[in-house]
């Protein structure tokens, strides 16, 4: 692995951490992207507009970073079936399990939450197993 | 209004971080998950970088004060025991993540690229979320 790649990963990661902790420091919320997305669709209670603002930032950010040559992937080399089935399972699984890579994997681990440690270990292991099966066994 | 701006800033920082760290590319994520293949450890450094920022601020400030810098209470989930839905949910999410190489953040961050495969992923994910919401609601009644 190249030194540049590691530095770029660490800097990108630090920005993710900074965005996540500032949502806690200013809005008092866990930066769980699956929970925020579902909440934006289902929670009609007043005071939920922060979710829309947060999601807007997430969607717009790559348009800004592309000015510095950090861009989105040009093509997705996966079948439509993988993406549709994958998307459905990601949607259901993150709701049932109360979190994804951001809520459990970053915020939860940093809070030393036992639930998040268990969830992160489980989704990492099953994801690796799924890749092992689809790439090396089928 | 201030809190809308801070939420927007958080989203911008996370989206920028995902793009700069190349985690918006499912190829990189699948490379990390492919432990039997040509393993790509990048994701470890991304998570490490995020934890290095979040952990000390949370442990040293938020845990003690339990309020925001604007002196309002923080909404922190209870650290109760893992239950069946956490386990089943994490497993289903893991299978979906392993199939697609995309989790919710990178899925949404990819929307402006205009790729129809990303639209298919995000639409399916939103349908999955709503399906769970309706199922949970009908069970509660």
């Amino acid at each position: 692995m190249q030194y540049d790649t590691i530095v770029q990963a660490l800097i990108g990661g630090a920005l993710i951490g900074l965005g996540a902790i500032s949502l806690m420091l200013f809005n008092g919320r866990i930066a769980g992207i699956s929970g925020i997305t579902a909440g934006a669709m289902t929670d009609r209670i007043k005071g939920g507009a922060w979710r829309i603002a947060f999601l807007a930032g997430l969607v717009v950010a790559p348009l800004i970073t592309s000015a510095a040559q950090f861009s989105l992937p040009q093509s997705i080399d996966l079948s439509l079936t993988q993406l549709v089935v994958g998307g459905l399972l990601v949607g259901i699984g993150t709701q049932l399990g109360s979190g994804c890579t951001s809520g459990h994997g970053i915020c939860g681990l940093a809070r030393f939450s036992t639930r998040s440690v268990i969830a992160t270990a489980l989704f990492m292991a099953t994801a690796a197993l799924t890749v092992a099966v689809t790439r090396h066994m089928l | 209004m201030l809190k809308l701006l801070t939420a927007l800033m958080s989203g911008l920082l996370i989206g920028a971080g995902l793009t700069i760290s190349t985690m918006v590319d499912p190829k990189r994520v699948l490379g990390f998950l492919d432990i039997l293949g040509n393993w790509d450890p990048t994701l470890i450094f991304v998570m490490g970088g995020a934890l290095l920022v979040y952990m000390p601020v949370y442990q040293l400030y938020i845990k003690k004060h339990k309020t925001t810098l604007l002196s309002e209470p923080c909404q922190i989930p209870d650290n109760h025991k893992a239950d069946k839905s956490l386990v089943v949910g994490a497993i289903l999410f893991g299978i979906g993540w392993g199939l697609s190489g995309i989790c919710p953040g990178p899925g949404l961050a990819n929307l402006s690229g205009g790729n129809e495969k990303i639209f298919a992923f995000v639409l399916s994910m939103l349908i999955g979320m709503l399906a769970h919401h309706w199922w949970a609601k009908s069970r509660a009644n």
Side-chain angles (χ1 to χ4, degrees), chain A residues 50-122:
Chain A
W50 67 274
R51 292 195 179 95
I52 308 291
F54 173 87
L55 294 171
L58 185 63
V59 172
V60 169
L63 298 173
I64 300 168
T65 57
S66 67
Q69 311 300 322
F70 296 110
S71 309
L72 295 171
Q74 291 298 309
S75 64
I76 307 289
D77 198 17
L78 296 161
S79 74
L80 196 60
T81 317
Q82 273 175 295
L83 293 164
V84 169
V85 177
L88 282 171
L89 289 173
V90 167
I92 297 168
T94 53
Q95 296 312 294
L96 201 56
S98 318
C100 58
T101 5
S102 51
H104 282 313
I106 293 170
C107 304
L109 291 192
R111 296 189 301 115
F112 309 150
S113 152
T114 314
R115 277 170 63 84
S116 294
V117 173
I118 293 170
T120 307
L122 275 174

Side-chain angles (χ1 to χ4, degrees), chain B residues 68-88:
Chain B
T68 66
L69 295 177
L70 312 170
S71 300
E72 287 172 309
C74 288
Q75 303 206 20
I76 298 161
D78 295 336
N79 193 6
H80 54 83
K81 276 212 177 111
D83 50 15
K84 210 172 98 188
S85 44
L86 181 90
V87 170
V88 176

Side-chain angles (χ1 to χ4, degrees), chain A residues 21 24-26 28 111, chain B residues 54 56-69 74 76:
Chain A
I21 199 65
M24 182 55 80
L25 284 171
F26 293 103
R111 296 189 301 115
Chain B
Y54 199 103
V57 181
Y58 186 87
Q59 295 296 337
L60 298 175
Y61 184 85
I62 300 288
K63 210 170 198 167
K64 204 177 335 168
H65 298 267
K66 293 194 169 60
T67 58
T68 66
L69 295 177
C74 288
I76 298 161

